[in-house]
Amino acid sequence: MEIIFQVNTQATFEAVKNKRKATEVPDDSQPTKKQMRGRPAKPTRKPPPRRKAPTKLRKDRPVQASLSMDIWEAILSFCTLDRLLKLRGICSTFHSVLASGPVWRKARYNQFGATHPDPPIGLTEMQYADLLVGVGCQAPGCEAKDTRRTYWGFRRRWCEVCLVRYLSKGRQAKQDLLMYDQACKCIPEAKYDSWGHYQWVGHHEQAPAWAALFSSQSVAYSKFDIQDMNHRIQQFMSSSPTEEVADAWFEKQEATNFAYVKQLQKVEQWVEQDRKWRDRDRADMREKRADFFRKCASQMNTPLDADVLSLCPSYDRSIRISKIPSNKSWQKLLPKVEDERAEAEIVLWQKKRKESHSRYRTYLKDNYDDTVERRKSLKSPEQRLVLDLAEQIISDLLADLIGVHASDFVNVILRGVYYAYQAIDDDRKPRNRFGPYRLIMDDARLLYRQKVLPMIERIYDADRKASARLLKCPGQSCRRTIETYEFEDLMQHIHERHRYLNAYQHLLISDHLDGEREVFPWFCTEWPRNMPMLATHQTAPQEWDIDEDAPYCMLSPIKYLSKSSRAFHSTPVAFKSNMGPNFHQ
């Protein structure tokens, strides 16, 4: 225990001694131990002064260092003119720096090049820049903030309303301008056409390449120029000058205005040419954007055809943007295109189908005489095939114990034959110079006369015409009528009353070759997928689509086929025809 006490005491003593040395202030008058041993002490060196670091520009910390006006002028000269117009109203420093013209001139040269025309007489560099790139109508009190076009003949940027308000044309200009015959040559004039379109400033011997000539020209003046010229004339004439002095004064004013108009024409020429260049660059950018999107669409998991992509509204809106395409822009477009894909594919199919209708209609029209001659005997390959298909369809109907309502009989047989023919491979179909044979309306008429009418007569056992009026017209103007038609009469009615409607324009031709104009063109019209006819119990849709694969709802069969009609065919055929999709009772 005694040893531990001595050790602890010694440790405490050393700690107190070290603390005292740390707090002692050295006395320079007393020699150090090294001096006492004869060694001279080294002089203490002061640390060199620290250099100030350069000013760091940071978003979260404003610059504390002050910059001279010359530096700000050098910085702002590299900004665009539209940016300078905005910076001028930010702070007093920028406002004072941009009050001088050299900054605007350097910025204009940096943006448009050294060959850019200088501002016309009477315009400062800032006013010139505002007319070049500014936005908003300059008329007092006008709130049109999107106006961009500058009319250099008037040195103003006006909206269409203010342009009409501040112009003086024809007789009005002669009334407003004093001494019109002489003074009209002393102020800038602009050319207008009879439609009210601004064309150019001053007079050109030959129309500029960028100008568009619509009709005869007229002259227009700015009301501000007229007021200024009237004021100058009044001041000059107040001194009662002689005729020679007045002529000399007007000649001087005319020469000054001529030089001034030349400057305006030079600026206007550059502006319009620059607009053409920018339009061309934007068109190139949009084309590159479209190519990029088409390439990305072809690399999708399910590749998207370029024709389908072009029918997507989101794609059409996207390629109107004049920006460089990127993967980010495609990722934004992709979900929109996927949502619109199904509808675009339907629209493309309808478009191609319409073009196919048009080509086949032209072929039928060009080969009308051959078609009529070949089909006179009723033994052409396509006629025999259609009649055989009708035999099979009717046999299936006779074998069906449920039966078909009489009002649906015409539609069911015609639709059944159409879909049965479409189900046949192209290699097994008859062929012509156009390719595989496509059914025409004369095939439907043949089928109706040879197969449908005899069946209807055996169902009703009544007069042929009275029993056959089982159809209605699907036209909008006939929706409220209760008139019924026989098949051939209905087609004739559609040809006379509805041939110019959009739903039937590519079904019927405008000039057929059946002799009289009122005759339905049976040999020149293709058999459409959705025949324009309704059963008596059906309601016409808002718009009839001849290519629509709409479901056909049959009425419950109240009247069955009679025994005599079943005897029309000796034995039913076991063949079940393709009645087409979407047949419902």
Side-chain angles (χ1 to χ4, degrees), residues 32-91:
T32 61
K33 291 183 178 180
K34 291 184 178 181
Q35 291 175 349
M36 292 175 66
R37 289 196 297 266
R39 297 178 182 178
K42 295 181 179 180
T44 58
R45 297 180 179 179
K46 295 183 179 180
R50 296 181 59 182
R51 297 181 179 178
K52 293 184 179 180
T55 303
K56 296 181 179 180
L57 301 178
R58 298 176 58 178
K59 293 182 179 180
D60 57 345
R61 182 180 299 175
V63 178
Q64 301 296 331
S66 59
L67 299 179
S68 62
M69 292 295 183
D70 296 338
I71 297 177
W72 277 121
E73 288 181 1
I75 294 174
L76 296 178
S77 63
F78 290 95
C79 296
T80 59
L81 294 181
D82 55 340
R83 179 61 59 86
L84 292 182
L85 292 173
K86 296 177 182 178
L87 293 176
R88 185 173 176 270
I90 289 181
C91 62

Side-chain angles (χ1 to χ4, degrees), residues 324-451:
I324 299 175
S326 62
N327 291 327
K328 184 177 180 181
S329 59
W330 168 247
Q331 293 301 325
K332 290 183 178 181
L333 177 63
L334 180 58
K336 302 176 184 177
V337 170
E338 290 177 343
D339 294 340
E340 301 166 352
R341 178 173 187 166
E343 185 176 354
E345 289 175 347
I346 295 175
V347 173
L348 179 62
W349 179 84
Q350 293 175 346
K351 182 179 179 181
K352 290 183 177 180
R353 183 68 179 174
K354 185 175 181 180
E355 294 175 355
S356 178
H357 281 314
S358 178
R359 291 195 302 269
Y360 193 58
R361 182 179 58 192
T362 303
Y363 167 79
L364 292 175
K365 183 178 177 181
D366 295 340
N367 297 271
Y368 174 81
D369 296 333
D370 296 340
T371 303
V372 173
E373 186 66 27
R374 189 182 70 255
R375 298 176 65 89
K376 281 183 178 180
S377 62
L378 304 180
K379 295 182 180 180
S380 63
E382 61 271 16
Q383 289 174 312
R384 292 197 302 267
L385 179 58
V386 168
L387 293 176
D388 292 341
L389 292 175
E391 290 280 347
Q392 296 171 358
I393 297 298
I394 294 174
S395 298
D396 287 345
L397 292 178
L398 295 177
D400 189 359
L401 298 178
I402 299 177
V404 178
H405 195 277
S407 62
D408 295 321
F409 196 70
V410 180
N411 288 283
V412 168
I413 293 180
L414 291 181
R415 288 174 68 94
V417 172
Y418 178 85
Y419 283 107
Y421 184 83
Q422 300 302 325
I424 300 175
D425 296 336
D426 290 343
D427 298 338
R428 297 175 54 194
K429 293 179 180 179
R431 300 186 66 85
N432 52 22
R433 283 176 289 181
F434 191 82
Y437 179 77
R438 292 160 63 170
L439 297 175
I440 60 176
M441 289 298 295
D442 187 62
D443 294 318
R445 181 174 63 169
L446 172 67
L447 174 62
Y448 182 79
R449 288 177 175 179
Q450 297 291 326
K451 298 298 180 182

Side-chain angles (χ1 to χ4, degrees), residues 45 128 139 168 188 215 232 241 323 356 447 472 478 489-490 500 538 563:
R45 297 180 179 179
Y128 189 37
S168 183
S215 57
R232 285 185 289 167
K323 291 185 180 180
S356 178
L447 174 62
K472 293 194 308 182
C478 300
D489 293 340
L490 176 60
Y500 296 109
Q538 291 179 311
K563 293 182 179 180

Side-chain angles (χ1 to χ4, degrees), residues 18 65 75 103 133 148 280 345 349 390 410 452 488 502 521:
N18 293 336
I75 294 174
V103 179
V133 299
R148 294 180 178 273
R280 182 186 59 188
E345 289 175 347
W349 179 84
V410 180
V452 176
E488 295 186 41
N502 293 332

